[in-house]
mmCIF file with all atom_site columns, all heavy atoms in Angstrom:
data_model
loop_
_atom_site.group_PDB
_atom_site.id
_atom_site.type_symbol
_atom_site.label_atom_id
_atom_site.label_alt_id
_atom_site.label_comp_id
_atom_site.label_asym_id
_atom_site.label_entity_id
_atom_site.label_seq_id
_atom_site.pdbx_PDB_ins_code
_atom_site.Cartn_x
_atom_site.Cartn_y
_atom_site.Cartn_z
_atom_site.occupancy
_atom_site.B_iso_or_equiv
_atom_site.pdbx_formal_charge
_atom_site.auth_seq_id
_atom_site.auth_comp_id
_atom_site.auth_asym_id
_atom_site.auth_atom_id
_atom_site.pdbx_PDB_model_num
ATOM 1  N N   . PRO A 1 158 ? 27.590 17.471 56.455 1.00 0.00 ? 186 PRO A N   1
ATOM 2  C CA  . PRO A 1 158 ? 27.966 16.058 56.458 1.00 0.00 ? 186 PRO A CA  1
ATOM 3  C C   . PRO A 1 158 ? 26.909 15.197 57.131 1.00 0.00 ? 186 PRO A C   1
ATOM 4  O O   . PRO A 1 158 ? 26.170 15.672 57.982 1.00 0.00 ? 186 PRO A O   1
ATOM 5  C CB  . PRO A 1 158 ? 29.282 16.045 57.211 1.00 0.00 ? 186 PRO A CB  1
ATOM 6  C CG  . PRO A 1 158 ? 29.435 17.372 57.834 1.00 0.00 ? 186 PRO A CG  1
ATOM 7  C CD  . PRO A 1 158 ? 28.498 18.308 57.158 1.00 0.00 ? 186 PRO A CD  1
ATOM 8  N N   . LYS A 1 159 ? 26.847 13.932 56.775 1.00 0.00 ? 187 LYS A N   1
ATOM 9  C CA  . LYS A 1 159 ? 25.839 13.012 57.304 1.00 0.00 ? 187 LYS A CA  1
ATOM 10 C C   . LYS A 1 159 ? 26.133 12.717 58.770 1.00 0.00 ? 187 LYS A C   1
ATOM 11 O O   . LYS A 1 159 ? 27.276 12.706 59.199 1.00 0.00 ? 187 LYS A O   1
ATOM 12 C CB  . LYS A 1 159 ? 25.857 11.722 56.512 1.00 0.00 ? 187 LYS A CB  1
ATOM 13 C CG  . LYS A 1 159 ? 25.376 11.896 55.093 1.00 0.00 ? 187 LYS A CG  1
ATOM 14 C CD  . LYS A 1 159 ? 25.320 10.556 54.405 1.00 0.00 ? 187 LYS A CD  1
ATOM 15 C CE  . LYS A 1 159 ? 24.820 10.714 53.009 1.00 0.00 ? 187 LYS A CE  1
ATOM 16 N NZ  . LYS A 1 159 ? 24.759 9.455  52.307 1.00 0.00 ? 187 LYS A NZ  1
ATOM 17 N N   . SER A 1 160 ? 25.061 12.439 59.453 1.00 0.00 ? 188 SER A N   1
ATOM 18 C CA  . SER A 1 160 ? 25.224 12.114 60.885 1.00 0.00 ? 188 SER A CA  1
ATOM 19 C C   . SER A 1 160 ? 25.713 10.689 61.035 1.00 0.00 ? 188 SER A C   1
ATOM 20 O O   . SER A 1 160 ? 25.432 9.845  60.204 1.00 0.00 ? 188 SER A O   1
ATOM 21 C CB  . SER A 1 160 ? 23.905 12.301 61.626 1.00 0.00 ? 188 SER A CB  1
ATOM 22 O OG  . SER A 1 160 ? 22.968 11.369 61.140 1.00 0.00 ? 188 SER A OG  1
ATOM 23 N N   . LEU A 1 161 ? 26.429 10.443 62.120 1.00 0.00 ? 189 LEU A N   1
ATOM 24 C CA  . LEU A 1 161 ? 26.929 9.116  62.417 1.00 0.00 ? 189 LEU A CA  1
ATOM 25 C C   . LEU A 1 161 ? 25.874 8.345  63.166 1.00 0.00 ? 189 LEU A C   1
ATOM 26 O O   . LEU A 1 161 ? 24.888 8.892  63.655 1.00 0.00 ? 189 LEU A O   1
ATOM 27 C CB  . LEU A 1 161 ? 28.214 9.205  63.244 1.00 0.00 ? 189 LEU A CB  1
ATOM 28 C CG  . LEU A 1 161 ? 29.403 9.862  62.537 1.00 0.00 ? 189 LEU A CG  1
ATOM 29 C CD1 . LEU A 1 161 ? 30.555 9.973  63.519 1.00 0.00 ? 189 LEU A CD1 1
ATOM 30 C CD2 . LEU A 1 161 ? 29.808 9.041  61.325 1.00 0.00 ? 189 LEU A CD2 1
ATOM 31 N N   . SER A 1 162 ? 26.087 7.069  63.283 1.00 0.00 ? 190 SER A N   1
ATOM 32 C CA  . SER A 1 162 ? 25.102 6.223  63.958 1.00 0.00 ? 190 SER A CA  1
ATOM 33 C C   . SER A 1 162 ? 24.986 6.553  65.454 1.00 0.00 ? 190 SER A C   1
ATOM 34 O O   . SER A 1 162 ? 24.005 6.237  66.075 1.00 0.00 ? 190 SER A O   1
ATOM 35 C CB  . SER A 1 162 ? 25.472 4.761  63.762 1.00 0.00 ? 190 SER A CB  1
ATOM 36 O OG  . SER A 1 162 ? 26.756 4.523  64.311 1.00 0.00 ? 190 SER A OG  1
ATOM 37 N N   . ASN A 1 163 ? 25.993 7.156  66.037 1.00 0.00 ? 191 ASN A N   1
ATOM 38 C CA  . ASN A 1 163 ? 25.926 7.456  67.462 1.00 0.00 ? 191 ASN A CA  1
ATOM 39 C C   . ASN A 1 163 ? 25.290 8.813  67.738 1.00 0.00 ? 191 ASN A C   1
ATOM 40 O O   . ASN A 1 163 ? 25.325 9.309  68.841 1.00 0.00 ? 191 ASN A O   1
ATOM 41 C CB  . ASN A 1 163 ? 27.311 7.371  68.097 1.00 0.00 ? 191 ASN A CB  1
ATOM 42 C CG  . ASN A 1 163 ? 28.279 8.378  67.503 1.00 0.00 ? 191 ASN A CG  1
ATOM 43 O OD1 . ASN A 1 163 ? 27.892 9.172  66.650 1.00 0.00 ? 191 ASN A OD1 1
ATOM 44 N ND2 . ASN A 1 163 ? 29.504 8.339  67.954 1.00 0.00 ? 191 ASN A ND2 1
ATOM 45 N N   . GLY A 1 164 ? 24.778 9.429  66.731 1.00 0.00 ? 192 GLY A N   1
ATOM 46 C CA  . GLY A 1 164 ? 24.075 10.678 66.938 1.00 0.00 ? 192 GLY A CA  1
ATOM 47 C C   . GLY A 1 164 ? 24.893 11.901 66.671 1.00 0.00 ? 192 GLY A C   1
ATOM 48 O O   . GLY A 1 164 ? 24.399 12.997 66.724 1.00 0.00 ? 192 GLY A O   1
ATOM 49 N N   . GLY A 1 165 ? 26.202 11.765 66.412 1.00 0.00 ? 193 GLY A N   1
ATOM 50 C CA  . GLY A 1 165 ? 27.021 12.932 66.148 1.00 0.00 ? 193 GLY A CA  1
ATOM 51 C C   . GLY A 1 165 ? 27.151 13.219 64.680 1.00 0.00 ? 193 GLY A C   1
ATOM 52 O O   . GLY A 1 165 ? 26.646 12.505 63.831 1.00 0.00 ? 193 GLY A O   1
ATOM 53 N N   . TRP A 1 166 ? 27.847 14.294 64.440 1.00 0.00 ? 194 TRP A N   1
ATOM 54 C CA  . TRP A 1 166 ? 28.071 14.683 63.046 1.00 0.00 ? 194 TRP A CA  1
ATOM 55 C C   . TRP A 1 166 ? 29.467 14.283 62.645 1.00 0.00 ? 194 TRP A C   1
ATOM 56 O O   . TRP A 1 166 ? 30.379 14.271 63.438 1.00 0.00 ? 194 TRP A O   1
ATOM 57 C CB  . TRP A 1 166 ? 27.899 16.201 62.886 1.00 0.00 ? 194 TRP A CB  1
ATOM 58 C CG  . TRP A 1 166 ? 26.490 16.644 63.095 1.00 0.00 ? 194 TRP A CG  1
ATOM 59 C CD1 . TRP A 1 166 ? 25.933 17.067 64.257 1.00 0.00 ? 194 TRP A CD1 1
ATOM 60 C CD2 . TRP A 1 166 ? 25.493 16.691 62.116 1.00 0.00 ? 194 TRP A CD2 1
ATOM 61 N NE1 . TRP A 1 166 ? 24.632 17.388 64.105 1.00 0.00 ? 194 TRP A NE1 1
ATOM 62 C CE2 . TRP A 1 166 ? 24.319 17.170 62.738 1.00 0.00 ? 194 TRP A CE2 1
ATOM 63 C CE3 . TRP A 1 166 ? 25.411 16.396 60.769 1.00 0.00 ? 194 TRP A CE3 1
ATOM 64 C CZ2 . TRP A 1 166 ? 23.134 17.344 62.087 1.00 0.00 ? 194 TRP A CZ2 1
ATOM 65 C CZ3 . TRP A 1 166 ? 24.219 16.593 60.130 1.00 0.00 ? 194 TRP A CZ3 1
ATOM 66 C CH2 . TRP A 1 166 ? 23.102 17.056 60.786 1.00 0.00 ? 194 TRP A CH2 1
ATOM 67 N N   . ALA A 1 167 ? 29.638 14.000 61.420 1.00 0.00 ? 195 ALA A N   1
ATOM 68 C CA  . ALA A 1 167 ? 30.949 13.608 60.952 1.00 0.00 ? 195 ALA A CA  1
ATOM 69 C C   . ALA A 1 167 ? 31.911 14.779 61.134 1.00 0.00 ? 195 ALA A C   1
ATOM 70 O O   . ALA A 1 167 ? 31.595 15.892 60.789 1.00 0.00 ? 195 ALA A O   1
ATOM 71 C CB  . ALA A 1 167 ? 30.896 13.191 59.486 1.00 0.00 ? 195 ALA A CB  1
ATOM 72 N N   . GLY A 1 168 ? 33.070 14.490 61.646 1.00 0.00 ? 196 GLY A N   1
ATOM 73 C CA  . GLY A 1 168 ? 34.063 15.529 61.861 1.00 0.00 ? 196 GLY A CA  1
ATOM 74 C C   . GLY A 1 168 ? 33.854 16.243 63.181 1.00 0.00 ? 196 GLY A C   1
ATOM 75 O O   . GLY A 1 168 ? 34.638 17.082 63.568 1.00 0.00 ? 196 GLY A O   1
ATOM 76 N N   . MET A 1 169 ? 32.801 15.999 63.882 1.00 0.00 ? 197 MET A N   1
ATOM 77 C CA  . MET A 1 169 ? 32.503 16.674 65.138 1.00 0.00 ? 197 MET A CA  1
ATOM 78 C C   . MET A 1 169 ? 32.348 15.647 66.258 1.00 0.00 ? 197 MET A C   1
ATOM 79 O O   . MET A 1 169 ? 31.558 15.812 67.162 1.00 0.00 ? 197 MET A O   1
ATOM 80 C CB  . MET A 1 169 ? 31.237 17.484 65.030 1.00 0.00 ? 197 MET A CB  1
ATOM 81 C CG  . MET A 1 169 ? 31.231 18.459 63.886 1.00 0.00 ? 197 MET A CG  1
ATOM 82 S SD  . MET A 1 169 ? 29.877 19.544 64.118 1.00 0.00 ? 197 MET A SD  1
ATOM 83 C CE  . MET A 1 169 ? 30.507 21.006 63.442 1.00 0.00 ? 197 MET A CE  1
ATOM 84 N N   . GLU A 1 170 ? 33.116 14.597 66.199 1.00 0.00 ? 198 GLU A N   1
ATOM 85 C CA  . GLU A 1 170 ? 32.942 13.527 67.185 1.00 0.00 ? 198 GLU A CA  1
ATOM 86 C C   . GLU A 1 170 ? 33.326 13.973 68.611 1.00 0.00 ? 198 GLU A C   1
ATOM 87 O O   . GLU A 1 170 ? 32.668 13.591 69.553 1.00 0.00 ? 198 GLU A O   1
ATOM 88 C CB  . GLU A 1 170 ? 33.814 12.309 66.822 1.00 0.00 ? 198 GLU A CB  1
ATOM 89 C CG  . GLU A 1 170 ? 33.437 11.644 65.545 1.00 0.00 ? 198 GLU A CG  1
ATOM 90 C CD  . GLU A 1 170 ? 34.158 12.246 64.373 1.00 0.00 ? 198 GLU A CD  1
ATOM 91 O OE1 . GLU A 1 170 ? 35.262 12.759 64.461 1.00 0.00 ? 198 GLU A OE1 1
ATOM 92 O OE2 . GLU A 1 170 ? 33.572 12.201 63.287 1.00 0.00 ? 198 GLU A OE2 1
#
Side-chain angles (χ1 to χ4, degrees):
K187 292 184 179 180
S188 65
L189 296 176
S190 60
N191 62 3
W194 292 93
M197 306 192 147
E198 295 89 29

